[in-house]
Amino acid sequence: MKLFIFDCGEVILNNVDTFVAFSESSGIAPSELLSDYSHYEMPLMDGYMSVEDYYRHLETKYQIMITGDPFREFFCPVVNQGMLCHVRMLKEKGYRCVIGSNTFQPHWDFIMSMDENPLGIFDALYPSHLIHLSKPEVAFFHYICCKECVKPRDAVMIDDRKENIDAASSAGLSAFWYSGLDKERKASEFFSFF
C-alpha cells in the first residue's frame, strides 16, 4: 500500500450534519428538505451549482426567505483526534495520506479556517467541488490515484458510507468502511496491519 485516501465528514471531522438546524431555521420539514436536497446534491458536490443558487431555489419552491449562509452557519464540526492519530502513525511509517471528500464551498471554507487546522497533516487535499468529481463516481478515485501517481491497487479509501466503499472497491482500491458502534476498535485493528 502506498496511498491512504481519507474521507473528511464523519471520518476526520464528526458532527458535520447541518440539516436539522437548517430545517428548523427555514421551517421546511427535515424529510422534505433532505428529499429536495437529494436532487441537487451532486451538482453542489461537483462544484457546478453554488449554495446561493440552491438557497434561491428553496426560496422559490417554498416561498420563504433564507438569510445568511445556513450551510456554513450551522456547520459545527468536531475533530476526530483518534483518526488523526492513525494518520500521524501512517505518515511516520512513510505512507502518503490525502483527503478525498465530497464537500461544497461553505463547508470547505469553514474547515480551512479552523484554528486547529485538522487537514494540515495531510499531503494533499481533493475536495469534490474543486476537482469537479464526487463519490461514488469511479472517476473520483481514479482522478486521485492519477494525481498521486499511484495505481488503484496500491491505494486504500477510508470512508463512512457504504456506497463509497463499494465504489472504491469497484475502482480497484482497497477500502475500509469506518462505521458502526465498534468503528474505533475496527479502525485500530485495520491500521495496525500497516
Side-chain angles (χ1 to χ4, degrees):
M1 208 56 59
K2 297 178 181 177
L3 177 68
F4 288 80
I5 307 169
F6 288 81
D7 180 37
C8 192
E10 302 305 335
V11 176
I12 299 301
L13 298 176
N14 293 327
N15 195 43
V16 298
D17 183 76
T18 58
F19 280 97
V20 173
F22 192 175
S23 168
E24 289 174 357
S25 74
S26 66
I28 305 170
S31 59
E32 180 71 18
L33 182 60
L34 280 169
S35 176
D36 182 82
Y37 175 78
S38 69
H39 299 291
Y40 299 93
E41 182 177 18
M42 288 304 100
L44 284 162
M45 294 294 127
D46 287 347
Y48 293 119
M49 181 181 196
S50 71
V51 291
E52 292 79 11
D53 286 343
Y54 183 63
Y55 296 152
R56 301 299 78 83
H57 153 74
L58 290 175
E59 288 178 332
T60 300
K61 181 174 180 177
Y62 295 101
Q63 296 298 297
I64 58 172
M65 178 64 69
I66 294 175
T67 57
D69 188 352
F71 278 130
R72 181 166 179 161
E73 291 160 19
F74 300 129
F75 188 52
C76 303
V78 176
V79 178
N80 182 348
Q81 296 295 346
M83 190 57 77
L84 282 186
C85 284
H86 295 305
V87 175
R88 288 188 193 96
M89 177 272 297
L90 290 168
K91 288 180 63 61
E92 286 170 5
K93 293 181 177 181
Y95 293 105
R96 189 163 170 85
C97 298
V98 303
I99 287 288
S101 189
N102 285 0
T103 189
F104 48 38
Q105 198 67 52
H107 286 185
W108 191 250
D109 288 347
F110 186 99
I111 294 166
M112 293 292 97
S113 69
M114 291 174 72
D115 290 338
E116 51 211 302
N117 190 19
L119 305 189
I121 190 173
F122 289 92
D123 296 299
L125 307 173
Y126 297 100
S128 62
H129 71 291
L130 295 182
I131 66 171
H132 302 296
L133 292 166
S134 57
K135 297 173 284 185
E137 295 175 60
V138 168
F140 175 91
F141 306 101
H142 287 166
Y143 175 91
I144 294 174
C145 288
C146 182
K147 285 289 186 181
E148 292 292 319
C149 301
V150 168
K151 293 179 180 176
R153 69 171 179 258
D154 294 324
V156 60
M157 180 77 214
I158 298 92
D159 205 292
D160 64 306
R161 300 183 82 170
K162 183 68 163 69
E163 62 267 31
N164 296 336
I165 291 299
D166 292 342
S169 297
S170 69
L173 287 73
S174 296
F176 173 69
W177 187 17
Y178 183 63
S179 181
L181 295 176
D182 60 345
K183 64 184 179 182
E184 306 303 339
R185 178 190 59 78
K186 290 191 295 187
S188 294
E189 290 177 358
F190 177 77
F191 290 113
S192 70
F193 289 109
F194 300 97

